[in-house]
Amino acid sequence: MNKKIKKNQSGFTLIEVLIGMTVFAIGILGVAAMQLSAIKGNSYSSHLSEASTISQDKIEELILLNYDDHVLFDDDGDDDDYNDGNGTGGLDHTNEHGGTPDETNQSKGVTGVQYTTSCNIAVNQPIQNTKTIRIITTWTEKGATRTVTMDYIKFDEI
């Protein structure tokens, strides 16, 4: 009796398995790097949203005040400009009660980040009988100072 030996075997060789594992590992590393980048982006977006909300809340506080309210005065004497060139951006108020530029309105956000909010008033900008209110909210993230700036124009009611 003649027995035929089959040499046709199915399966993978050791080299094929190693190449497959290498391709899979490179793919997983790429996904991990992408995930880290997404986490960092989400963190920054969260802080930016929180700073924007703080700025918007401050603007809403100030627009409810009368046009002649002492908080809406130009404390630094640059009446028509909200950048006086001294590095503070022409800040008039840096707290919600219209204090001196040395005071700060600091608040801790939900994310645990410390935000500092400042305010500047430009009188008769961009036209007569208006005040431009600029709110500047800053925070520090990974050693870099980040800023959100919002402007609102308040008209004198005649």
Side-chain angles (χ1 to χ4, degrees), residues 83-139:
N83 188 1
D84 62 7
N86 67 5
T88 63
L91 302 180
D92 293 312
H93 306 295
T94 52
N95 69 16
E96 68 268 18
H97 305 296
T100 66
D102 294 332
E103 298 177 40
T104 57
N105 177 22
Q106 295 190 346
S107 56
K108 197 167 221 176
V110 176
T111 59
V113 174
Q114 189 76 26
Y115 297 91
T116 302
T117 304
S118 303
C119 167
N120 183 52
I121 312 298
V123 180
N124 295 324
Q125 285 292 329
I127 59 173
Q128 279 300 108
N129 298 322
T130 63
K131 292 181 180 180
T132 299
I133 302 168
R134 175 169 283 175
I135 302 297
I136 304 160
T137 302
T138 59
W139 74 99

Side-chain angles (χ1 to χ4, degrees), residues 18-158:
L18 288 175
I19 290 172
M21 287 175 52
T22 302
V23 169
F24 180 72
I26 290 170
I28 291 296
L29 288 174
V31 170
M34 185 176 61
Q35 186 68 21
L36 288 174
S37 177
I39 289 170
K40 289 177 186 176
N42 286 342
S43 174
Y44 174 72
S45 296
S46 175
H47 298 151
L48 182 63
S49 294
E50 198 165 49
S52 297
T53 301
I54 290 169
S55 296
Q56 187 63 41
D57 288 348
K58 188 61 165 168
I59 283 179
E60 289 177 10
E61 257 181 60
L62 295 175
I63 64 174
L64 291 175
L65 299 174
N66 290 330
Y67 185 81
D68 293 326
D69 193 290
H70 76 281
V71 174
L72 296 177
F73 287 158
D74 179 34
D75 288 349
D76 66 357
D78 63 356
D79 278 332
D80 59 354
D81 189 9
Y82 38 54
N83 188 1
D84 62 7
N86 67 5
T88 63
L91 302 180
D92 293 312
H93 306 295
T94 52
N95 69 16
E96 68 268 18
H97 305 296
T100 66
D102 294 332
E103 298 177 40
T104 57
N105 177 22
Q106 295 190 346
S107 56
K108 197 167 221 176
V110 176
T111 59
V113 174
Q114 189 76 26
Y115 297 91
T116 302
T117 304
S118 303
C119 167
N120 183 52
I121 312 298
V123 180
N124 295 324
Q125 285 292 329
I127 59 173
Q128 279 300 108
N129 298 322
T130 63
K131 292 181 180 180
T132 299
I133 302 168
R134 175 169 283 175
I135 302 297
I136 304 160
T137 302
T138 59
W139 74 99
T140 301
E141 183 174 358
K142 296 181 182 157
T145 301
R146 309 289 185 183
T147 303
V148 170
T149 303
M150 291 188 179
D151 290 342
Y152 180 82
I153 298 173
K154 184 169 181 66
F155 294 92
D156 188 9
E157 297 175 18
I158 299 174

